[in-house]
Amino acid sequence: MDKFVIQGRRRLNGTVRASGSKNSALPLIAATLLTERGEITLERIPDLKDIRTFRKLLEYLGADIRYRENTLTVSASNIRCVQAPYELVKQMRASIYVLGPLLARFGRASVSLPGGCAFGPRPIDLHLMAMEKLGATISIEKGFIEAQIQGSHLKGAVIDFPITSVGATGNALMASVLARGKTTIQNAAVEPEIVTLCNFLCAMGADIRGTGTSTLEINGVESLKPAPFTNIFDRIEAATLLTAGAITASSITVDDVDPSQLTAILGKFEHAGCKIITDRTSITLQSPETLSHTDVIANPYPDFPTDMQAQWIALMTQAEGTSHIIDKVYHERFNHIPELNRLGARIEIRNNEASVYGPSRLTGTKVMSTDLRASASLVLAGLAAEGVTEVLRIYHLDRGYEKLEDKLKQLGADITRESYQEFT
Ligand code: UD1
């Protein structure tokens, strides 16, 4: 297994480029399943464990895929199987993204149930509800979602989501673009990743109105044609890198971004005392010597993202005063807190609200990653800690951060990747 070894308290400076978004790349790759012939080239696809898992899944289904230097080329003309096996789905819950496109194109799909998750319940009922509304019959058999449609096509419908879900909106979109008639998705997610999926589907010939709003209207078309497409930047990676600048009292720039997608987070940095300078494609953060406590409530976009909550808590350990953090998307997503406390932070959780009492003197030790964003928060804390912090089990982090240690090194951090063996 790999770990990061971090010698903390180094000031950072310089510029790094943001990678392509993982959470946007996954539905884009899934959407290629909707095309019957030709090749699709997707640019700015990050080289990550989750992308490799998804690639394996599509290859298992029969797709031909090439990947080189962040460019992924997919031909989905020879799909021979509509079953997503447990071995791949258990590695990545987002595998559920194949449900909508397989059902739309082949009239049936069989997807293993994703199973548990490191930070509380993550149901898939909304995905299934959307497919049923579009005319699929769903049953759960032997741990698999078995979905089938009567007749040859899904039928347009009104899908009214009781809560906003990125994944269920994406699946509903991919299923409805080839359905007969009109589909209306109400309370649709408005995350940039969904906007990007809409743009890609439209580039391939789909008819979608209302992109970027919470009501999407889709008029089903006969077929989609391959179209080249460039993925968006990873807003969570970019914000994590900015947090690395903030937690080390440094000044850094993240390039190749669209600052408008980070409005809520940049506002919080400013509240904490950081100076933020943006232009069309870059963000510079200048951190003060002393940060101010700043409360955060994680909510769906355009609010502060749940995927930055753990990193924010790490940052607030260095802020003067008490910060309160609530996650309204995943109420129990606080696995990072005991590990941050082991580094010397003072964080309490009461009624799903974290109170961070800062500033704390962090001192390096061994800490354990438990999920992707929790790992990032431990790396950030390690950058601020005195002495050496070892972040173990960084395979979680490798799921979603492309070359994080290289980017941090480029900014001047003292961080190395080493392999180690765990005692069993
Ligand atoms: C996506 C992101 C994940 C991010 C999350 C919220 C990907 C691959 N993952 O996950 O990084 O943390 O959005 O921004 O893009 N829910 C249900 N039933 C469902 C589906 C979801 O109750 O069928 C609930 C979830 O438990 C959660 C909320 O809806 O409380 C939002 O989840 P959702 O937006 O679906 O997250 P994902 O798409 O799984």
Side-chain angles (χ1 to χ4, degrees):
M1 253 183 262
D2 284 1
K3 64 181 175 185
F4 279 158
V5 179
I6 304 164
Q7 175 75 53
R9 301 201 71 76
R10 295 270 195 278
R11 295 269 174 151
L12 309 184
N13 67 72
T15 302
V16 274
R17 288 190 55 211
S19 292
S21 160
K22 167 182 86 74
N23 286 354
S24 166
L26 294 169
L28 293 180
I29 298 169
T32 65
L33 289 170
L34 291 162
T35 54
E36 281 177 22
R37 54 188 73 86
E39 271 194 351
I40 297 178
T41 300
L42 299 173
E43 308 267 3
R44 207 174 185 187
I45 303 299
D47 188 5
L48 295 171
K49 173 82 175 26
D50 273 7
I51 301 291
R52 289 191 282 278
T53 304
F54 210 48
R55 171 184 174 165
K56 271 191 216 153
L57 175 54
L58 260 74
E59 284 175 337
Y60 179 90
L61 301 175
D64 291 315
I65 303 188
R66 296 191 307 279
Y67 183 61
R68 204 166 161 262
E69 290 172 8
N70 297 126
T71 300
L72 188 90
T73 307
V74 188
S75 164
S77 40
N78 294 323
I79 299 298
R80 52 178 181 268
C81 153
V82 292
Q83 187 178 72
Y86 175 66
E87 289 71 15
L88 292 170
V89 177
K90 78 164 188 221
Q91 289 181 40
M92 192 185 62
R93 296 179 54 82
S95 305
I96 186 89
Y97 270 134
V98 300
L99 179 64
L102 287 177
L103 202 50
R105 183 166 154 203
F106 300 102
R108 64 201 172 86
S110 168
V111 179
S112 172
L113 285 168
C117 159
F119 49 89
R122 288 180 79 177
I124 48 153
D125 54 317
L126 301 178
H127 297 251
L128 304 187
M129 178 274 265
M131 299 306 127
E132 281 176 335
K133 287 271 182 205
L134 292 167
T137 311
I138 308 268
S139 59
I140 306 293
E141 281 165 43
K142 297 180 182 162
F144 277 78
I145 304 157
E146 301 291 349
Q148 190 135 22
I149 60 176
Q150 309 300 323
S152 58
H153 286 86
L154 291 167
K155 288 190 195 67
V158 175
I159 303 168
D160 188 0
F161 286 121
I163 54 172
T164 321
S165 160
V166 177
T169 302
N171 245 332
L173 267 166
M174 290 188 278
S176 58
V177 286
L178 294 182
R180 288 281 178 267
K182 179 174 155 185
T183 298
T184 306
I185 305 178
Q186 286 163 352
N187 200 14
V190 297
E191 268 69 2
E193 294 74 22
I194 292 297
V195 171
T196 306
L197 176 62
C198 288
N199 290 341
F200 179 46
L201 291 169
C202 288
M204 293 198 293
D207 179 352
I208 302 171
R209 315 269 159 93
T211 295
T213 73
S214 56
T215 304
L216 296 170
E217 285 182 1
I218 303 110
N219 288 302
V221 294
E222 264 309 307
S223 63
L224 297 184
K225 287 185 286 299
F229 196 78
T230 301
N231 188 21
I232 53 170
F233 82 105
D234 194 314
R235 61 196 169 99
I236 305 301
E237 185 216 22
T240 303
L241 290 165
L242 291 171
T243 312
I247 206 167
T248 53
S250 305
S251 170
I252 66 158
T253 300
V254 182
D255 214 356
D256 260 358
V257 298
D258 172 356
S260 71
Q261 291 179 19
L262 289 168
T263 307
I265 302 170
L266 297 183
K268 292 293 176 185
F269 277 126
E270 284 178 328
H271 186 277
C274 300
K275 186 167 181 202
I276 298 289
I277 304 153
T278 60
D279 66 18
R280 218 170 45 80
T281 57
S282 80
I283 303 168
T284 297
L285 176 144
Q286 292 170 358
S287 182
E289 281 305 317
T290 311
L291 292 159
S292 306
H293 62 99
T294 302
D295 298 346
V296 149
I297 300 178
N299 258 319
Y301 191 83
D303 277 356
F304 193 96
T306 171
D307 284 350
M308 269 303 292
Q309 175 262 103
Q311 300 89 313
W312 194 261
I313 288 183
L315 179 64
M316 287 300 102
T317 66
Q318 299 309 295
E320 198 87 53
T322 306
S323 310
H324 303 281
I325 286 95
I326 298 173
D327 193 327
K328 291 210 168 163
V329 181
Y330 296 111
H331 303 268
E332 300 159 27
R333 190 179 195 176
F334 287 126
N335 284 337
H336 38 288
I337 289 180
E339 291 301 273
L340 289 171
N341 283 343
R342 290 187 56 246
L343 288 167
R346 286 185 302 133
I347 310 166
E348 282 174 8
I349 311 169
R350 211 171 294 129
N351 301 327
N352 289 333
E353 176 174 325
S355 301
V356 188
Y357 305 99
S360 294
R361 179 174 156 255
L362 304 182
T363 49
T365 186
K366 289 184 184 174
V367 282
M368 184 84 87
S369 304
T370 48
D371 65 68
L372 170 55
R373 307 302 169 186
S375 319
S377 80
L378 297 176
V379 171
L380 292 168
L383 294 175
E386 286 168 19
V388 177
T389 301
E390 295 192 13
V391 184
L392 308 180
R393 296 197 182 179
I394 52 166
Y395 59 84
H396 291 291
L397 190 130
D398 289 335
R399 288 186 41 209
Y401 285 93
E402 190 179 45
K403 302 190 182 104
L404 183 67
E405 73 272 32
D406 291 351
K407 293 191 184 189
L408 290 173
K409 262 189 223 159
Q410 202 181 320
L411 292 171
D414 185 343
I415 175 169
T416 51
R417 177 186 289 263
E418 293 178 13
S419 28
Y420 73 104
Q421 267 196 322
E422 276 192 4
F423 296 111
T424 48

